[in-house]
């Protein structure tokens, strides 16, 4: 089992766990840190199985409870048995020591969602597109690479990764409609969207500078990033749910992203997007 020691878990979980040191990979008692990670992996495994229909719980239990302490403890015990450690304790006492009181499960859930947002796979996924785009922009400027080819390559990669990790997005979205978890889930989902969108802002800004273009009035790097993020999320959820991950669907997605970028760029008429559309549709 891989533990991502590079993330500042104590700071990330601060306010949602009894003692930040319980999530610190530098804790002299590493077993304490490992136990915390096991609890989080256990919750994620339970949610994954609920979403995929593999959970052992009844439909009534899942609909009414969603994620309970007994579920987490059972899963944690299964995971801990396979670890090469003898001092990792994941019983009820260890759980309540980390997430105490009536709000313990809410705090645990917040740590769980933050964990899914910062897992190693997410970091690699979120950074790939912006990093590749920034590296390739000078080639676009020099005529070595076509911008539409670059957009197509990165957009398809982002879409595939969103589909691959759709269970995490669906996990948070499914809880947004749950009255018990709505506020926490919305906060966590917003954080995840922001983490994706903000990475692209410097890319769009650098693209404008290198390619000598500008946005239409009212469009900014931040708003375009938010629009593309929403477009990608919507397509990923649609394709993951419908099982329609085909070349035709991916090509349609690329066209939609290119259309957003095209609509956002000012060809020199100085019009906002709505005014430009109104002008195109004006009867001759």
């Amino acid at each position: 089992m891989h533990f991502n020691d590079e993330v500042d878990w104590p700071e990330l979980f601060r306010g949602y766990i009894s003692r930040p040191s319980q999530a610190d990979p530098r804790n002299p008692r590493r077993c304490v840190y490992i136990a915390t990670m096991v609890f989080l992996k256990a919750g994620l495994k339970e949610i994954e199985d609920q979403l995929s229909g593999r959970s052992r719980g009844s439909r009534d239990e899942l609909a009414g409870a969603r994620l309970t302490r007994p579920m987490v403890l059972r899963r944690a015990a299964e995971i801990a048995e396979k670890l090469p450690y003898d001092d990792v304790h994941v019983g009820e006492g260890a759980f309540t020591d980390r997430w105490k009181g009536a709000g313990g499960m809410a705090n645990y859930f917040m740590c769980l969602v933050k964990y899914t947002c910062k897992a190693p796979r997410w970091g690699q996924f979120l950074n790939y597109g912006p990093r590749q785009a920034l590296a390739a922009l000078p080639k676009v400027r020099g005529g070595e690479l076509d911008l539409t080819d670059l957009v197509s390559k990165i957009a398809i990669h982002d879409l595939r990764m969103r589909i691959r990790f759709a269970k995490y997005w669906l996990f948070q979205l499914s809880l947004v409609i749950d009255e018990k978890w709505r506020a926490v889930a919305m906060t966590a989902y917003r954080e995840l969207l922001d983490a994706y969108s903000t990475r692209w802002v410097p890319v769009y800004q650098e693209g404008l500078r290198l390619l000598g273009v500008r946005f239409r009035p009212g469009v900014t790097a931040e708003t375009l990033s938010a629009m593309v993020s929403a477009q990608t999320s919507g397509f990923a959820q649609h394709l993951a749910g419908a099982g329609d991950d085909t070349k035709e669907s991916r090509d349609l997605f690329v066209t939609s992203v290119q259309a957003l970028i095209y609509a956002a760029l000012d060809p020199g008429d100085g019009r906002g997007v709505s005014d430009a559309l109104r002008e195109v549709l004006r009867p001759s």
Side-chain angles (χ1 to χ4, degrees):
M1 179 178 293
H2 176 70
F3 299 102
N4 186 15
D5 292 0
E6 297 179 3
V7 175
D8 189 358
W9 299 115
E11 184 60 33
L12 194 68
F13 295 158
R14 188 176 300 278
Y16 300 103
I17 194 168
S18 297
R19 297 182 298 281
S21 62
Q22 293 171 320
D24 192 343
R26 299 177 298 274
N27 190 322
R29 296 183 61 211
R30 185 168 174 79
C31 59
V32 174
Y33 161 70
I34 292 176
T36 300
M37 295 295 108
V38 167
F39 281 129
L40 296 171
K41 286 180 180 290
L44 184 58
K45 179 62 177 173
E46 174 63 29
I47 291 293
E48 288 179 358
D49 284 357
Q50 286 187 23
L51 291 173
S52 63
R54 296 192 301 265
S55 178
R56 289 176 292 179
S58 69
R59 291 184 179 274
D60 290 340
E61 178 188 11
L62 298 180
R66 183 74 68 177
L67 186 64
T68 66
R69 185 180 301 168
M71 291 177 182
V72 175
L73 295 178
R74 182 182 69 241
R75 292 282 186 170
E78 294 172 356
I79 295 172
E81 283 181 3
K82 301 176 183 178
L83 294 177
Y85 308 102
D86 297 326
D87 53 354
V88 176
H89 303 293
V90 290
E92 185 167 358
F95 186 94
T96 55
D97 185 43
R98 289 163 172 78
W99 297 285
K100 300 179 184 294
M105 278 304 294
N107 286 334
Y108 165 77
F109 175 74
M110 193 64 186
C111 289
L112 176 61
V113 177
K114 284 177 174 286
Y115 173 79
T116 66
C117 295
K118 295 292 184 178
R121 291 173 292 180
W122 272 118
Q124 294 169 6
F125 155 53
L126 292 173
N127 289 327
Y128 175 86
R131 185 174 64 247
Q132 292 293 314
L134 281 172
L137 281 174
K139 294 182 179 180
V140 174
R141 182 185 184 185
E144 303 173 52
L145 179 65
D146 186 83
L147 179 61
T148 57
D149 290 340
L150 175 62
V151 172
S152 176
K153 176 184 176 181
I154 293 177
I156 288 178
H157 175 272
D158 270 13
L159 179 66
R160 282 175 169 168
M161 295 303 288
R162 292 269 189 131
I163 293 172
R164 180 180 173 187
F165 294 133
K167 58 190 174 185
Y168 300 116
W169 296 83
L170 293 174
F171 162 37
Q172 294 168 14
L173 282 175
S174 68
L175 290 168
V176 168
I177 62 175
D178 190 313
E179 184 176 352
K180 181 179 179 181
W181 298 112
R182 182 178 299 122
V184 174
M186 289 180 68
T187 298
Y189 191 68
R190 190 177 299 112
E191 287 183 2
L192 187 55
L193 289 178
D194 289 345
Y196 177 86
S197 298
T198 54
R199 282 170 164 81
W200 279 101
V201 171
V203 178
Y204 294 130
Q205 292 172 336
E206 182 67 2
L208 294 179
R209 187 186 71 81
L210 283 179
L211 304 180
V213 294
R214 64 183 182 184
F215 288 134
R216 288 187 177 279
V219 178
T220 65
E222 290 79 7
T223 57
L224 178 59
S225 181
M227 287 189 289
V228 173
S229 175
Q231 191 90 328
T232 308
S233 295
F235 258 88
Q237 291 164 25
H238 170 73
L239 298 185
D244 190 28
D245 184 14
T246 62
K247 182 180 184 303
E248 291 75 16
S249 296
R250 293 192 295 271
D251 287 345
L252 178 61
F253 167 69
V254 170
T255 299
S256 72
V257 172
Q258 292 176 342
L260 277 177
I261 296 174
Y262 178 76
L265 295 176
D266 187 348
D269 59 19
R271 297 177 182 274
V273 174
S274 296
D275 287 343
L277 178 62
R278 191 177 297 111
E279 180 64 22
V280 170
L281 298 178
R282 179 176 296 170
S284 55

